Structures are given as C-alpha cells and as structure tokens.
Amino acid sequence: MNILEIKNVCKNYKAEKGINTKVLKNINLTVKDNEFVGIMGSSGSGKTTLLNVAAGIDSFDDGKINIYGNDISKMKRNELSLFRRNNIGMVFQDFNLISSLSIKENILVPLILDKKYEIIQGDSIDKLAKLLDIEEIMNKYPYEISGGQQQRAAICRAIINSPKIIFADEPTGNLDSSSSEKVLEYFKLLHSEYNTGIVMVTHEIFSASYCDRVVFLKDGVIIKEIIKKKDRFEFFNCIMKEVQAFSMIDKRRKSNEV
Ligand SMILES: Nc1ncnc2c1ncn2[C@@H]1O[C@H](COP(=O)(O)OP(=O)(O)OP(=O)(O)O)[C@@H](O)[C@H]1O
Ligand SMILES: [Mg+2]
C-alpha cells in the first residue's frame, strides 16, 4: 500500500518584489508502507520544503498529495491538524521544542493534545527515553540541554504517538556516531516491525545507507533515485559514488558561473 503519494507538486516562494522563486518543481514521489526513504541534496535544494509540504505543514501551489489515500489539500485546517497528530511524526531540522515546557512535557504534547495522556502505557515514555538516552534530562528545559539532547527529545516526541509515517529532517545532524546508530536502528525497527513509513532528509552517507531507497534533489527537482540491492555496506558505496558525482557537477557548474 502507498502511504504517501506526491504527484506533480510545485511550490513557489513569493519574493518582496513579486518575483516567484520556484523551490519545488514537479515533484513525484511515492512511499509504500514499510519503506524507508532518504532524501539527499545540497543546501538550498528544497529538502526541508519538500518534507514540510509532504507533511501538510506548508502549503503548495500545484499538484496533489495523498497520505494513506487522504488528499491533504482538500482537508480543512482543523481536520488537517488532527490528521497530522494521529498519523504523522515530524522531526524538525531546528527541533521546534517549546521553550516554556520541560523536555518531558514537550514529548507528551501530542498525547496531551489528543487527551490520550491517561491511556498511554506507563512505561512507553520511559522506554523511549532510555533508548534515546535522555532519562536524565526529562525535567530540564530546552535551553538547559545540548543540541544533540534536544534532537533526541524531538525524535522522542515524533514517535511517542506511534505515527504511521515519520518525516525526519536531518535527525542525526547533531548526534555522535553511537547516538546516530541507535536512532537509525530504531527507525529500522519501526519500519520493519510496525510498517511505519519513514522519509528522512540527510547529508550523511552513513545515515542514508540505512534507507531502502535514496532520492537526490537538485534545485527543486528529483534528479536521481537509487535503490538498495544488497546490504547496507554495498548501498553506502553506491550512495558515496552518487554524492561524489553530484559534487563534481556542482563544482563544474560553479566554475562556469565565475
Ligand atoms: N520562507 C521562505 N521564503 C522564501 N524562500 C524560502 C523560504 N524557505 C526556504 N526558502 C528558499 O527555498 C530554497 C529551499 O530551501 P530549503 O530550506 O527547503 O532547503 P534545504 O535543501 O532544506 O537546505 P539545507 O540543507 O540547508 O537545510 C532555498 O533557496 C531557500 O532560500
Ligand atoms: Mg533543510
């Protein structure tokens, strides 16, 4: 089953002098349940915009997005918020933790909003906190903890509600290699055991090698897609070759522009 269908999606930003910047140009991307998809591309290529649009956080100008067969562009604001809370887990690039709430309260926000707080199994937050190594900081505030700890709290908040699909924007960008590995292994477990679809933006070849498929974005266009054929190590090498090829093209383009 397709969890996510992005069809011919275009997104423009309107600049001050009325000039439109085309940030997403005719994007087509389908994600099946039990698929772990990576998005790579240079800074400014549109990765965050694509994730925000796909998750219904940002609007788009043309095309169609279906999540579990639900056309999100047809939903009213409140309906979309509820749908997002019930189905989507989001890890933002800049974490988006609420500074006036403790880490524990931040993590519980999705449950409190849905009044599910009383019915959550007592140990699930403790289990997740242990797995993500944030047990010690649960009563602290976002400004009292490191970037890596904030990132792990944001990941915990995204998965506490058992979403059907997770959109993660560079979720390992601030983590050391052992924490990154834990998060990626957990994502893998979610998608293999619970059929959670995962779409992850990353700059890191190591993180991307956990995916089943990686799409490359350049100037708002998907220009390449590679699929894992064998194991993670072989896939790591495939991704590295692609990344090197793209950086060569970029260098050539820049030297032509000068
Ligand atoms: N609110 C906005 N208004 C106008 N332009 C924007 C806005 N947000 C992003 N852009 C532009 O859209 C393009 C894509 O931005 P986006 O944040 O999606 O890139 P990205 O691939 O996530 O980059 P990074 O790897 O640095 O996070 C950039 O050129 C950016 O300047
Ligand atoms: Mg980004």
Side-chain angles (χ1 to χ4, degrees):
M1 183 188 180
N2 293 341
I3 331 184
L4 173 69
E5 287 171 353
I6 302 179
K7 287 183 190 154
N8 304 320
V9 162
C10 299
K11 162 96 184 157
N12 307 323
Y13 278 118
K14 285 171 189 68
E16 276 170 21
K17 287 174 188 163
I19 305 158
N20 275 348
T21 318
K22 291 182 179 171
V23 182
L24 298 178
K25 301 167 194 162
N26 218 33
I27 297 282
N28 286 290
L29 179 67
T30 301
V31 178
K32 296 195 182 77
D33 56 1
N34 191 15
E35 234 189 342
F36 188 174
V37 175
I39 299 175
M40 298 188 89
S42 51
S43 182
S45 56
K47 303 181 297 297
T48 296
T49 309
L50 176 58
L51 226 54
N52 288 346
V53 160
I57 289 165
D58 212 347
S59 63
F60 51 100
D61 297 285
D62 211 352
K64 210 171 171 183
I65 297 178
N66 282 338
I67 299 181
Y68 268 96
N70 298 278
D71 185 341
I72 63 165
S73 56
K74 292 211 173 111
M75 289 183 192
K76 297 203 176 78
R77 222 185 145 119
N78 289 347
E79 201 185 342
L80 182 59
S81 302
L82 189 66
F83 180 80
R84 278 213 321 261
R85 282 211 302 278
N86 286 331
N87 297 286
I88 298 174
M90 188 86 192
V91 184
F92 294 92
Q93 189 168 9
D94 50 5
F95 323 132
N96 272 9
L97 296 171
I98 301 167
S99 57
S100 56
L101 298 182
S102 72
I103 295 306
K104 186 168 184 174
E105 288 162 343
N106 262 288
I107 292 168
L108 291 175
V109 159
L111 299 170
I112 294 167
L113 286 173
D114 282 339
K115 301 189 177 63
K116 284 189 196 151
Y117 185 47
E118 321 81 67
I119 55 160
I120 91 162
Q121 284 152 5
D123 65 355
S124 77
I125 185 165
D126 297 338
K127 257 193 208 158
L128 278 179
K130 188 162 186 209
L131 179 106
L132 292 162
D133 197 17
I134 50 171
E135 294 159 295
E136 308 286 310
I137 52 149
M138 293 301 258
N139 294 320
K140 293 200 171 183
Y141 287 83
Y143 55 85
E144 295 177 313
I145 62 173
S146 72
Q149 288 169 327
Q150 288 186 44
Q151 185 145 47
R152 279 175 281 149
I155 292 167
C156 194
R157 180 184 56 185
I159 55 189
I160 192 89
N161 226 2
S162 311
K164 293 192 179 75
I165 183 162
I166 294 172
F167 293 100
D169 201 349
E170 310 218 16
T172 56
N174 287 268
L175 304 185
D176 59 50
S177 57
S178 127
S179 309
S180 289
E181 227 170 311
K182 270 190 209 160
V183 167
L184 294 161
E185 287 292 346
Y186 192 69
F187 279 176
K188 236 174 71 179
L189 180 111
L190 284 176
H191 105 277
S192 61
E193 302 246 315
Y194 304 104
N195 276 3
T196 312
I198 301 175
V199 184
M200 176 178 75
V201 166
T202 185
H203 278 297
E204 297 151 18
I205 299 169
F206 175 78
S207 298
S209 70
Y210 276 80
C211 300
D212 302 315
R213 185 153 61 100
V214 174
V215 297
F216 291 85
L217 205 59
K218 188 172 164 59
D219 300 329
V221 179
I222 292 181
I223 48 162
K224 178 106 193 178
E225 173 179 287
I226 52 173
I227 297 169
K228 186 187 269 167
K229 293 204 182 81
K230 277 201 256 158
D231 54 26
R232 194 157 66 75
F233 302 99
E234 187 247 11
F235 199 40
F236 180 96
N237 288 326
C238 292
I239 301 166
M240 191 160 66
K241 274 189 201 140
E242 289 302 331
V243 169
Q244 280 167 348
F246 287 126
S247 69
M248 290 287 284
I249 295 167
D250 257 357
K251 270 185 204 149
R252 253 184 250 140
R253 193 186 64 167
K254 275 182 193 138
S255 64
N256 286 341
E257 278 169 4
V258 174

